[in-house]
Amino acid sequence: MSGSEVQKPPPLAKALYRARQGDSPCAACDVRHLAVCSALEESDLNELEAILHHTQLSAGDTLFDEGEPSTNVYNLTTGCLKLYKLLPDGRRQVTGFLFAGDFVGLANRDEYIYSAEAVSAITLCRFEKRKLDQLMHDHINFERRLLGMARFELAEAQDQILMLGRKTAMERISSFILMLSERAKRRGDPDNPVGLPMSRNDIGDYLGLTTETVSRTITRLRKSGTISLDTDHKVIINDREALVEIAEGY
Amino acid sequence: MSGSEVQKPPPLAKALYRARQGDSPCAACDVRHLAVCSALEESDLNELEAILHHTQLSAGDTLFDEGEPSTNVYNLTTGCLKLYKLLPDGRRQVTGFLFAGDFVGLANRDEYIYSAEAVSAITLCRFEKRKLDQLMHDHINFERRLLGMARFELAEAQDQILMLGRKTAMERISSFILMLSERAKRRGDPDNPVGLPMSRNDIGDYLGLTTETVSRTITRLRKSGTISLDTDHKVIINDREALVEIAEGY
DNA sequence: TTTCCCTGATGATCTGGATCAATGCCCGGA
DNA sequence: TCCGGGCATTGATCCAGATCATCAGGGAAA
């Protein structure tokens, strides 16, 4: 792991700039409205800041491995992180891709139940679980927010299960592109040329397919005109209606 | 739906019997220690009882359908219930089997995100979500219990995703039998001749396989001596070690 | 008792996606 | 500038599990 840990001042230039204006780092955070942190009043943010450490990792760095004691939870502030599980013979299942504002660690108990690796360069806020639990105890809204997030993730997991159990390769790829597009929109990023920061191999391990099948299927979508490939890992959705129809299984 | 709704007195003869002894129905409930209800002190159980309705359904009855407004949540007290999602062309994915003590409705928002159908005859406690939310608000422990359950289910969903994405038919069937065994044990039922109340078709739709593959794979496990089939939908695990090795993918 | 229906088991064949293999491209380091 | 390694694409072949088809058992109704 080559990621360095930066204390207090957040690595985001913009946040730093705003912080110098007089606001606290958390109050200036670009993704606070997306994250758990939105559960706290501005006046309570200093409590959060007191227990948080800013961290950054480069693409390919490991944040933690499945089976390690889960002493920390994280909030992703920039970049893309992947979560995955391995079978003894090396088969891999990527269980999720996380983006700015996403929370890491809801599902874990005493040990991490998956490994986490940076897809791109990322920045995160790290919390010691023990301290966050304490803070949560005093702020019931924080706990409620966490329950809301857990319920949301549970609903998303059901969709993922349907996809893996019953959808074809073409339906999976279409669903995947649409999901990335919708999530980008939700966090305020452009939803049409949609970023695909992860490799074909990562996509395959997320969708239960091989890289070859991912590649061939994307080619088919491209040749049919439904999507186009931009440079720099971006997909242009030319016909969203068609993509939705395919994804839903019509 | 042919299930009848019974007010107040629980349909369980045993619970009724105990209730007559002077305890409240909830205090006498066989599965309270497994259910959300364990979050409340005995002294607060009357608040729960005030908003709960006992319900029963026959095998094959529908509890609710995907897309309906989710006005109720439920706690299963006896029997087996399956949750499933459909694709437009009729492909079905069973996302979960629920047993005594399990809670129905954590993942739902305004609408049910899956349909629920009784696998065997079942009994449940029904709560109006609106009223339960109110009660929750006053009993922080209830909310904490729900968060704990959501986190647990999230972890289980990860396993299901790994299974659907990367395991072979043989590994899926083995994992499935072991899961049922472990859950039976957790709720205090015998874990070795393990009950398999659902049809081969339901199992297939849960594991992302066809009935034929389920049937053939179970036959292979039986012929290898790892398991035996008892009458009355029961499986005898002869070699748990072997089954675990297969399930884990060694 | 016979008939019907539903579920599960099993055989024969087919196919979507896996596997194996080769090539091209881009980027970074010498 | 050239070389090497990683990633994506594409082609050829294979196979696990799907699909199609048949049959056996067992319970319910007549």
Side-chain angles (χ1 to χ4, degrees), chain A residues 115-209:
Chain A
S115 305
E117 185 185 312
V119 168
S120 62
I122 59 173
T123 56
L124 355 87
C125 295
R126 175 171 69 79
F127 302 91
E128 277 177 55
K129 209 162 64 171
R130 197 172 40 80
K131 289 184 183 167
L132 193 69
D133 282 348
Q134 182 53 48
L135 186 143
M136 243 172 59
H137 207 274
D138 302 336
H139 296 274
I140 173 65
N141 274 341
F142 207 92
E143 213 150 344
R144 293 219 171 98
R145 183 72 215 267
L146 234 39
L147 177 57
M149 288 173 65
R151 295 170 65 141
F152 182 79
E153 282 189 29
L154 227 28
E156 286 198 321
Q158 309 284 321
D159 289 333
Q160 206 173 335
I161 284 167
L162 170 64
M163 187 185 70
L164 291 171
R166 288 299 179 217
K167 288 192 183 179
T168 64
M170 182 59 88
E171 290 162 359
R172 292 180 202 202
I173 295 286
S174 302
S175 302
F176 182 66
I177 294 171
L178 286 169
M179 181 201 68
L180 287 188
S181 172
E182 277 152 27
R183 288 176 63 182
K185 187 177 193 174
R186 211 183 307 146
R187 64 177 188 274
D189 285 346
D191 75 332
N192 197 341
V194 50
L196 227 69
M198 65 294 288
S199 70
R200 297 289 185 263
N201 192 29
D202 285 347
I203 298 174
D205 282 348
Y206 178 73
L207 298 176
L209 302 169

Side-chain angles (χ1 to χ4, degrees), chain B residues 30-86:
Chain B
D30 280 335
V31 299
R32 187 165 72 90
H33 66 290
L34 300 167
V36 255
C37 324
S38 66
L40 292 185
E41 301 295 324
E42 297 244 349
S43 56
D44 293 328
L45 282 181
N46 58 324
E47 290 184 53
L48 200 60
E49 280 160 32
I51 63 165
L52 135 190
H53 305 263
H54 290 279
T55 307
Q56 54 190 47
L57 272 74
S58 311
D61 288 350
T62 294
L63 182 59
F64 54 76
D65 273 314
E66 181 175 357
E68 281 179 17
S70 62
T71 46
N72 296 304
V73 297
Y74 301 86
N75 208 70
L76 191 55
T77 47
T78 42
C80 176
L81 179 77
K82 71 185 175 217
L83 309 177
Y84 63 91
K85 285 164 101 66
L86 293 173

Side-chain angles (χ1 to χ4, degrees), chain A residues 55-245:
Chain A
T55 307
Q56 52 189 49
L57 272 74
S58 310
D61 288 350
T62 294
L63 182 59
F64 54 75
D65 273 314
E66 182 177 356
E68 280 179 19
S70 61
T71 46
N72 296 304
V73 296
Y74 302 85
N75 208 70
L76 192 54
T77 47
T78 41
C80 176
L81 179 77
K82 71 186 175 215
L83 309 177
Y84 63 90
K85 285 163 104 55
L86 292 172
L87 287 171
D89 64 357
R91 275 173 289 170
R92 190 179 68 148
Q93 176 67 37
V94 171
T95 59
F97 292 107
L98 272 52
F99 297 91
D102 290 340
F103 187 75
V104 191
L106 251 184
N108 297 299
R109 286 295 192 179
D110 300 336
E111 295 181 351
Y112 292 114
I113 60 165
Y114 38 62
S115 305
E117 185 185 312
V119 168
S120 62
I122 59 173
T123 56
L124 355 87
C125 295
R126 175 171 69 79
F127 302 91
E128 277 177 55
K129 209 162 64 171
R130 197 172 40 80
K131 289 184 183 167
L132 193 69
D133 282 348
Q134 182 53 48
L135 186 143
M136 243 172 59
H137 207 274
D138 302 336
H139 296 274
I140 173 65
N141 274 341
F142 207 92
E143 213 150 344
R144 293 219 171 98
R145 183 72 215 267
L146 234 39
L147 177 57
M149 288 173 65
R151 295 170 65 141
F152 182 79
E153 282 189 29
L154 227 28
E156 286 198 321
Q158 309 284 321
D159 289 333
Q160 206 173 335
I161 284 167
L162 170 64
M163 187 185 70
L164 291 171
R166 288 299 179 217
K167 288 192 183 179
T168 64
M170 182 59 88
E171 290 162 359
R172 292 180 202 202
I173 295 286
S174 302
S175 302
F176 182 66
I177 294 171
L178 286 169
M179 181 201 68
L180 287 188
S181 172
E182 277 152 27
R183 288 176 63 182
K185 187 177 193 174
R186 211 183 307 146
R187 64 177 188 274
D189 285 346
D191 75 332
N192 197 341
V194 50
L196 227 69
M198 65 294 288
S199 70
R200 297 289 185 263
N201 192 29
D202 285 347
I203 298 174
D205 282 348
Y206 178 73
L207 298 176
L209 302 169
T210 56
T211 40
E212 292 94 328
T213 300
V214 171
S215 191
R216 275 187 253 269
T217 307
I218 289 180
T219 299
R220 282 215 287 148
L221 280 172
R222 192 167 44 71
K223 288 194 174 159
S224 75
T226 314
I227 62 168
S228 304
L229 294 193
D230 205 348
T231 50
D232 198 34
H233 284 265
K234 289 209 183 313
V235 172
I236 303 164
I237 302 173
N238 297 319
D239 189 344
R240 188 177 291 264
E241 296 298 307
L243 209 56
V244 170
E245 289 245 314

